[in-house]
Each structure stands twice: as C-alpha cells, then as structure tokens.
Amino acid sequence: MAIVVKPLEPNEFDDGLVLARLGHAPFDEATWREELRALSRDAIQGGGLLARNSTGRVCGLMLYRILAVPGAGPSLEILRLVAFDLMNPLPIADALVYEAFQLARLQGCETLRTVRRLTTPADTIAAVLAVGVIELHSVF
C-alpha cells in the first residue's frame, strides 16, 4: 500500500475534517478550524499532516506541534492521529509518524510528547508505563 503524507493545506481542511470526526465525532467545521489555528500558538511550528492512499483518497491525519522546552531542545507533540483503512490502518499511522519525526528532527527535536485525555488513574499509570518514563521499585 503506497501512502503519501504531506502537510495539510488550507484547501484540504474539509478532507481533514472527515478524519477528525472519525476520532472525535462531535467536531463541527468551526471547532475544526479553531483547532487548526490553535496549533501554532505557543509553538515553534505546528500543523497537520494528511495521508492519501495510492488512489488519492484521504486515509490519515495527524495534528502536531513542535514546542520550545525550557532548559532542553524542542519537542514534538502529537495531538491527534487518525488512520483509516478497511483492513489494516497501521501502515498509514506509521507513515504519518515517520513524516512527523522527519519534520521534528529538522527542528532539532529529540523528544516526543503526546496529548491524552485523563480517564482513570489506572489508565494514566498504564500510559505512563507504556512510554517508559516511570520506574517502580520495591524491596520485596
């Protein structure tokens, strides 16, 4: 499956809205456009990436920004990633992440941040464990 990932252009906002609604159903056009505008606030760079399959159909969306981190280098922050395929959306997600990492490295990023809604404490601990920034120790 050939996936082409490019920055989301203003004339493609409606294509991106379709995918944004897959991940967050209550999105309307005004909310979507405000979210896109907000990406560049307090960021070195921010925007969206749109993935298209070999037939040119939109199949993936990533919203990201690159943040200045006091006392450290800039960091890539992934706000949303939506990939759609009838059988296997993972290659689409991989292509989006790969492109975002390429853009981030050009800005000097060495770290990754994600934005996730807090649900329950158990979910939060599982998420923190998954990214490897927590260490649990015990004597027994």
Side-chain angles (χ1 to χ4, degrees), residues 114 116 118 121-136:
T114 58
R116 181 182 190 276
L118 296 178
D123 290 344
T124 303
I125 290 171
V128 173
L129 281 169
V131 297
V133 295
I134 187 172
E135 294 180 30
L136 302 177

Side-chain angles (χ1 to χ4, degrees), residues 14 21 26 29 38 62 65 69 86 98 111:
D14 291 342
R21 283 184 175 158
E29 186 175 341
M62 176 187 282
R65 57 188 174 178
V69 179
L86 292 175
Y98 177 83
T111 60

Side-chain angles (χ1 to χ4, degrees), residues 70-109:
S75 183
L76 171 65
E77 181 178 61
I78 297 176
L79 301 159
R80 176 166 302 123
L81 192 155
V82 180
F84 175 78
D85 184 75
L86 292 175
M87 301 299 286
N88 184 12
L90 189 57
I92 299 163
D94 285 343
L96 286 162
V97 169
Y98 177 83
E99 186 64 26
F101 278 24
Q102 295 296 97
L103 292 170
R105 285 188 181 110
L106 290 174
Q107 296 292 332
C109 294

